[in-house]
Amino acid sequence: MISSSSMSLFGLLCGLIVLLMLPFPSCASDSDPLQDVCIADLNATISINGFPCKPASNVTSDDFFTDFSKDPTTFDVFKRAVTFGDVFGFPAVNTQGVALFRIDLDVGGINPPHTHPRGTEAGIVTRGTVLVGLVTTNNTFFSKVLTPGKVFLIPRALVHFQLNVGNEPATFIPIFNAQNPGVSDSIGTLFDTTPPVPNEVLTKSFRVGDDVINTIRAARAQSSWINILDGRSISFMSHN
């Protein structure tokens, strides 16, 4: 039997998805699709923006559905787990200008400060207690502690984070107005580059000595980094 609170959360989540998919030409992040359906062929070479469509004859009902119901069994170094609903995890969003994810934070877990250069983020907390914070370009910090059913909005490209401040695992569903919003780890862009940003730049910028910079580099090198929305192997998570 589905509880009324679960139905309310589901209805709110559906409303968020519809809102982000409404045609606002002046605010849209991705170009309008030129066909009803373009299920991404992930084995094909990316063509300009997005993936080529797989043949219409190969499209099935399953292509239009994905599963966010499973709790994670493992977490990364930040006590965070991500279920992908971007074009890489849910090929149906190809050309549709939308992506969504399930992010789980274990007790004390954090989705560290980062930005999404190609998408605005709206999200709903579905479990636990999450502190959501963002910083504007004039260095004003906004934050609020959210509980299930509460919604947040992160304007495109602003630094933000989510922190589990409760005594139980927390889950939230972020939705983007881009099929691949991208992610830029605010710390990784300075300390994880190839080749490295010169120590002199970092010491002068942070007004610290080489020993501090080298300590940070060493600490990050001990973890395998993966960029969240761009999912390859940097250990904080990447799909670019």
Side-chain angles (χ1 to χ4, degrees):
M1 183 71 179
I2 300 177
S3 67
S4 59
S5 60
S6 297
M7 288 298 295
S8 297
L9 285 177
F10 178 74
L12 187 54
L13 179 58
C14 290
L16 276 174
I17 294 174
V18 170
L19 180 62
L20 280 177
M21 294 182 71
L22 286 175
F24 296 121
S26 61
C27 304
S29 179
D30 290 356
S31 300
D32 290 336
L34 300 178
Q35 63 283 311
D36 289 341
V37 175
C38 180
I39 308 299
D41 181 356
L42 298 182
N43 295 318
T45 302
I46 294 180
S47 175
I48 307 180
N49 278 323
F51 287 90
C53 313
K54 76 177 187 179
S57 58
N58 293 341
V59 174
T60 68
S61 293
D62 287 342
D63 286 320
F64 297 94
F65 302 90
T66 193
D67 186 2
F68 275 11
S69 67
K70 298 177 181 177
D71 289 332
T73 56
T74 58
F75 294 86
D76 65 14
V77 66
F78 298 112
K79 297 184 177 181
R80 173 196 58 193
V82 180
T83 303
F84 291 97
D86 60 354
V87 68
F88 299 94
F90 190 18
V93 305
N94 191 43
T95 76
Q96 298 301 315
V98 65
L100 65 163
F101 300 79
R102 168 178 168 163
I103 299 183
D104 290 272
L105 300 174
D106 205 355
V107 177
I110 187 171
N111 192 18
H114 61 283
T115 66
H116 303 295
R118 299 186 293 273
T120 295
E121 174 180 353
I124 178 172
V125 174
T126 59
R127 176 175 62 167
T129 308
V130 181
L131 171 64
V132 178
L134 65 138
V135 181
T136 63
T137 55
N138 64 0
N139 290 329
T140 301
F141 175 57
F142 297 96
S143 68
K144 192 167 187 177
V145 174
L146 303 181
T147 51
K150 303 298 185 181
V151 174
F152 62 86
L153 179 83
I154 310 295
R156 184 169 69 175
L158 293 190
V159 174
H160 61 285
F161 66 85
Q162 292 94 4
L163 172 67
N164 184 353
V165 293
N167 298 317
E168 62 177 336
T171 303
F172 63 96
I173 308 293
I175 306 166
F176 298 85
N177 63 338
Q179 70 180 43
N180 184 14
V183 65
S184 179
D185 170 14
S186 301
I187 301 172
T189 52
L190 296 174
F191 292 96
D192 299 334
T193 61
T194 303
V197 173
N199 266 27
E200 183 179 6
V201 173
L202 299 177
T203 56
K204 289 183 175 180
S205 298
F206 289 105
R207 296 184 176 183
V208 297
D210 279 305
D211 56 333
V212 175
I213 300 302
N214 292 334
T215 297
I216 295 173
R217 289 192 192 279
R220 290 180 67 83
Q222 291 173 4
S223 310
S224 48
W225 293 87
I226 280 191
N227 199 335
I228 259 194
L229 301 182
D230 275 333
R232 295 191 191 164
S233 82
I234 313 181
S235 165
F236 152 80
M237 287 180 206
S238 175
H239 258 130
N240 244 0

